[in-house]
Amino acid sequence: MKITTGLNPYGLTYYLGLQGAGTPRHNPNGAGLEGFIRLTQELGGKAIELWEGWLKDMSDAELASLRARLDDLGWKRVLSSGLQHGDMDLLVRCAKALDAKFIRVALTPILCGDRAAAGPRWHELIASVNQKLEAAVPKLEAAGVVLLIENHQDFTSRELVGFCEEYGPHVRIVFDMANTFPVAESPLDFARVIAPYVRHCHVKDYRAVIEPDGFRLVRCPSGDGCVPHKEMFDILAKHNDEMIACIEIGALDDRHVKLYTPEWWHGYAPKQAEDLAACLLALQRNRFEPGEEWRTPWQRNADHELIEYELGQYRKSAANLKAIGLM
């Protein structure tokens, strides 16, 4: 399988000026799209994921200029938004203008697999996802664009496959390779289920903090945590001839998955003990030891460390992927 590797912006939110907007902790001198392009070039990326917020106010001429620039660089491109808040008409227009074949979306705002946090709204969110996907498909078909739905810590592998089968070939999956744990699935089990439908990967990683009520997932360079990227790409290669893969680092806040509490399981189908055991066993690799500092600079209010922290994790990720032939 040919893998074209690049960068995703969401692990660089402070450096780029996206984190804490409108608050005293915002970085007013964020590097923005230009800084993101420079970093992608520095690390030797050949693909780029473009946040909707950078594109929404661009004129046709500005989009044409950006397309020409990306063409000159020889980069593949993916647009990025959310299904609940994104403007599908805008995204399709930008995708056509930029010659982007894929639009990535998160389906819901749920994190940490915590469907119980939504209460009765969980079923409303499912209904909204179906409504929005149904409305989007004719627009995607007309534009020749594929919508990539992400496992964004909310839906299981089989649920994502269900959406793909329901809405056809213009709905496929972007695989966040570290987001299997928040829905209590191991990375390899998740990969086996969704592999035929994956068109793009977020090469992300986590280190786990074991807690009495479950575990925390803490960002780290891709390749330094518990995610077996090489083995997962081997599974994907059985169903795909080529793949776009973008390095992504997790959020500046940890993700606390409280799956040892009964309420966390609200909305989930029954699970085999062997499958849950595989998830919990996979978490043990490179985990934090008791007493080891796991908080990010953002959580420690050490904002002066954030830019080098974010950039350092991306640079280390690129080095790790190059070492195993994935970049």
Side-chain angles (χ1 to χ4, degrees):
M1 180 174 67
K2 179 184 177 182
I3 302 173
T4 304
T5 308
L7 301 190
N8 167 297
Y10 297 123
L12 295 159
T13 51
Y14 191 80
Y15 169 69
L16 297 176
L18 307 179
Q19 182 88 3
T23 74
R25 299 190 71 185
H26 180 232
N27 173 16
N29 301 311
L33 176 57
E34 284 302 316
F36 187 50
I37 291 174
R38 287 196 303 271
L39 183 63
T40 304
Q41 288 181 289
E42 174 197 325
L43 299 183
K46 295 298 180 183
I48 190 166
E49 195 162 322
L50 298 166
W51 174 54
E52 177 189 9
W54 287 327
L55 307 175
K56 64 180 181 180
D57 295 323
M58 285 190 180
S59 66
D60 290 344
E62 288 170 324
L63 288 169
S65 176
L66 178 58
R67 172 179 174 170
R69 186 177 178 187
L70 297 176
D71 286 344
D72 287 344
L73 290 165
W75 290 359
K76 295 189 176 180
R77 60 221 67 161
V78 177
L79 308 193
S80 185
S81 184
L83 189 67
Q84 299 301 320
H85 66 263
D87 182 336
M88 192 57 61
D89 291 327
L90 168 71
L91 289 164
V92 169
R93 180 179 77 85
C94 291
K96 290 172 65 177
L98 293 170
D99 192 27
K101 304 302 183 186
F102 300 114
I103 299 170
R104 165 266 176 198
V105 293
L107 294 176
T108 79
I110 297 299
L111 293 170
C112 309
D114 192 2
R115 300 177 179 187
R121 285 196 63 242
W122 174 245
H123 297 291
E124 296 173 12
L125 282 171
I126 295 174
S128 175
V129 167
N130 281 293
Q131 180 184 29
K132 290 178 182 295
L133 289 176
E134 185 173 5
V137 166
K139 300 174 183 179
L140 298 163
E141 290 177 341
V145 176
V146 175
L147 188 72
L148 300 178
I149 57 176
E150 183 178 349
N151 56 314
H152 198 251
Q153 306 192 2
D154 45 9
F155 288 102
T156 66
S157 57
R158 287 174 176 81
E159 289 167 337
L160 290 171
V161 167
F163 288 127
C164 294
E165 293 181 342
E166 174 73 18
Y167 295 104
H170 286 274
V171 175
R172 287 295 181 258
I173 293 171
V174 51
F175 186 15
D176 186 311
M177 304 177 91
N179 273 355
T180 75
F181 298 108
V183 292
E185 293 187 51
S186 79
L188 297 181
D189 286 345
F190 205 107
R192 292 185 188 102
V193 172
I194 68 170
Y197 303 89
V198 177
R199 299 295 180 268
H200 174 34
C201 291
H202 287 168
V203 189
K204 195 171 81 181
D205 214 338
Y206 280 129
R207 293 181 67 199
V209 181
I210 308 303
E211 298 280 10
D213 59 359
F215 50 85
R216 296 179 188 272
L217 297 169
V218 181
R219 61 183 281 160
C220 68
S222 301
D224 283 1
C226 57
V227 179
H229 299 106
K230 183 69 165 60
E231 292 88 340
M232 296 168 81
F233 276 114
D234 288 344
I235 292 170
L236 297 175
K238 296 175 182 178
H239 301 272
N240 299 273
D241 295 325
E242 59 181 328
M243 185 73 61
I244 301 173
C246 285
I247 295 170
E248 180 184 7
I249 309 294
L252 289 169
D253 288 302
D254 67 277
R255 302 304 187 203
H256 191 172
V257 182
K258 301 178 182 180
L259 55 63
Y260 293 161
T261 61
E263 57 270 20
W264 184 90
W265 291 93
H266 170 78
Y268 284 95
K271 192 171 190 66
Q272 292 290 328
E274 295 91 339
D275 296 336
L276 178 58
C279 171
L280 298 177
L281 181 62
L283 276 172
Q284 303 301 317
R285 181 185 176 199
N286 294 329
R287 72 179 188 183
F288 284 90
E289 296 300 326
E292 186 179 354
E293 178 62 80
W294 55 263
R295 295 172 302 163
T296 70
W298 178 262
Q299 293 172 301
R300 293 185 283 105
N301 292 308
D303 291 7
H304 62 285
E305 300 177 11
L306 281 169
I307 291 176
E308 285 306 312
Y309 173 78
E310 289 184 330
L311 291 174
Q313 290 193 327
Y314 269 77
R315 288 167 177 149
K316 181 62 161 39
S317 297
N320 288 345
L321 296 185
K322 288 173 183 176
I324 57 174
L326 294 179
M327 188 172 187

